[in-house]
Amino acid sequence: MLPSGWSDTLQQCIKDFEVRIQNDDKTSKQLHENLIKRLKLKMEELNKKELSQWEKYSEEEMPKEIFEKLNAKVLKEKDEVQQALCKAYESMPEPVDYEEKVVRFRDALAALRDPNANAELQNELLKLHSKKQAKRDIGLNLHTERTILTKS
């Protein structure tokens, strides 16, 4: 027997995943990718600028004082761009396969509703969709519904 609330919770998870599938325009990921692309281009420009400054300085076309000021500015900008790149990579959203989750949750729901399914399988399915799994999937708090089935 399926514990009270589990069926509704799993059905709501499935509905949520289906909505996410319909609304998944990958905007967040694309924004991050575009940001990273722009930052990489900026870093390339700064590298070229730094190289140009060094060439002018080494060919004595630029006084030392001016070179030091300009080079310090470029190095500071490079550091800022590098930090921004690191943050952009760290905050890149992880891809989530909601279609696979819908299939998995539907299979679990069907197995949990099946009166002929063995208790061990049902226990494993409940554990799979316990508090930790559901929180990771869609942020639900299922701590009050975590029940392990036992069949006689």
Side-chain angles (χ1 to χ4, degrees):
M1 182 75 171
L2 189 60
S4 172
W6 272 98
S7 177
D8 293 340
T9 302
L10 290 174
Q11 286 177 331
Q12 186 59 47
C13 289
I14 292 167
K15 287 178 186 175
D16 289 345
F17 294 149
E18 289 171 339
V19 167
R20 289 176 186 231
I21 290 168
Q22 290 172 357
N23 296 330
D24 186 20
D25 58 349
K26 298 178 177 57
T27 303
S28 181
K29 186 173 188 229
Q30 287 175 339
L31 289 172
H32 268 79
E33 288 173 350
N34 290 340
L35 173 63
I36 290 170
K37 189 176 182 179
R38 286 191 317 270
L39 289 169
K40 284 182 174 182
L41 288 172
K42 180 69 174 172
M43 185 62 84
E44 287 178 25
E45 291 172 17
L46 291 169
N47 284 335
K48 289 177 184 177
K49 193 173 191 179
E50 182 185 19
L51 182 61
S52 172
Q53 288 175 352
W54 275 103
E55 287 174 353
K56 288 179 181 176
Y57 176 69
S58 68
E59 295 171 1
E60 298 180 1
E61 294 177 15
M62 183 184 300
K64 182 178 181 177
E65 304 81 36
I66 295 174
F67 167 77
E68 288 174 349
K69 286 181 183 178
L70 293 175
N71 195 40
K73 182 180 175 189
V74 169
L75 292 176
K76 182 181 177 193
E77 284 183 65
K78 283 178 64 173
D79 185 53
E80 291 169 356
V81 170
Q82 185 60 43
Q83 288 178 19
L85 263 171
C86 288
K87 287 179 184 176
Y89 277 118
E90 289 170 2
S91 64
M92 177 70 85
E94 292 290 324
V96 178
D97 186 356
Y98 290 111
E99 291 172 359
E100 183 270 334
K101 289 183 183 294
V102 166
V103 169
R104 190 165 38 97
F105 274 59
R106 281 186 180 147
D107 289 347
L109 188 58
L112 289 168
R113 286 181 171 165
D114 183 357
N116 297 323
N118 77 33
E120 190 175 320
L121 171 63
Q122 290 181 336
N123 283 338
E124 289 304 313
L125 290 169
L126 285 174
K127 288 177 188 177
L128 177 65
H129 301 292
S130 67
K131 178 181 173 183
K132 182 178 178 185
Q133 179 68 30
K135 274 185 149 182
R136 188 175 72 231
D137 288 340
I138 61 170
L140 290 178
N141 186 351
L142 300 176
H143 71 278
T144 58
E145 306 226 359
R146 188 171 188 194
T147 306
I148 303 299
L149 289 177
T150 55
K151 268 194 173 174
S152 334

